[in-house]
Amino acid sequence: MSSVQKIIETSNYFSALKEELSGCKAPLFVYTESFKKRDQFKKIQNISHESFSDFSYNPDYESIVNGAEVFKKNNCDGLVSIGGGSSIDVAKGIKHILNKKDLMHISIPTPSGT
């Protein structure tokens, strides 16, 4: 099965995210603790999801395994990574550990080039 990448450029990521997640019942949102302090965090609270943010800015293998356990425990059916490289890397690692090539992974990069 081939992987399909879809790029959506929008100033209203929240609406686009809701639309893309319409087929998911329990997505796992992966983001850093610092994302919780942003105003944008309030918007995702209105989307039904599970959360995983128990990792550092340089995530280790154990953190990724823990994220995969959260995914399985909550019967998640999609991944959404929000933030910089750490969040995206953790979500990619979770997908790899789960060995689910067909698992949807939506990535919302937010860094501004620090």
Side-chain angles (χ1 to χ4, degrees):
M1 172 170 248
S2 65
S3 176
V4 176
Q5 182 175 7
K6 180 178 180 180
I7 298 173
I8 301 171
E9 188 173 339
T10 180
S11 60
N12 187 354
Y13 82 89
F14 180 70
S15 292
L17 180 59
K18 283 181 77 169
E19 184 177 325
E20 292 298 316
L21 289 174
S22 63
C24 285
K25 294 179 183 173
L28 178 66
F29 284 22
V30 179
Y31 48 81
T32 60
E33 284 292 320
S34 65
F35 180 71
K36 290 181 180 180
K37 299 173 187 168
R38 296 181 180 188
D39 288 339
Q40 295 297 314
F41 178 71
K42 295 173 190 165
K43 288 185 177 183
I44 69 165
Q45 295 297 80
N46 295 323
I47 298 174
S48 179
H49 69 280
E50 298 297 329
S51 296
F52 182 69
S53 60
D54 188 20
F55 57 91
S56 65
Y57 285 103
N58 292 307
D60 57 15
Y61 180 74
E62 184 177 336
S63 297
I64 295 168
V65 169
N66 292 340
E69 290 301 317
V70 170
F71 186 96
K72 289 189 280 189
K73 176 184 169 191
N74 293 289
N75 296 313
C76 293
D77 58 355
L79 278 168
V80 177
S81 55
I82 304 171
S86 298
S87 300
I88 295 168
D89 288 347
V90 168
K92 290 189 304 186
I94 290 170
K95 183 174 179 174
H96 178 74
I97 287 173
L98 295 171
N99 196 26
K100 293 188 173 200
K101 294 180 182 179
D102 295 344
L103 180 65
M104 178 182 62
H105 173 203
I106 297 172
S107 179
I108 303 172
T110 61
S112 60
T114 54

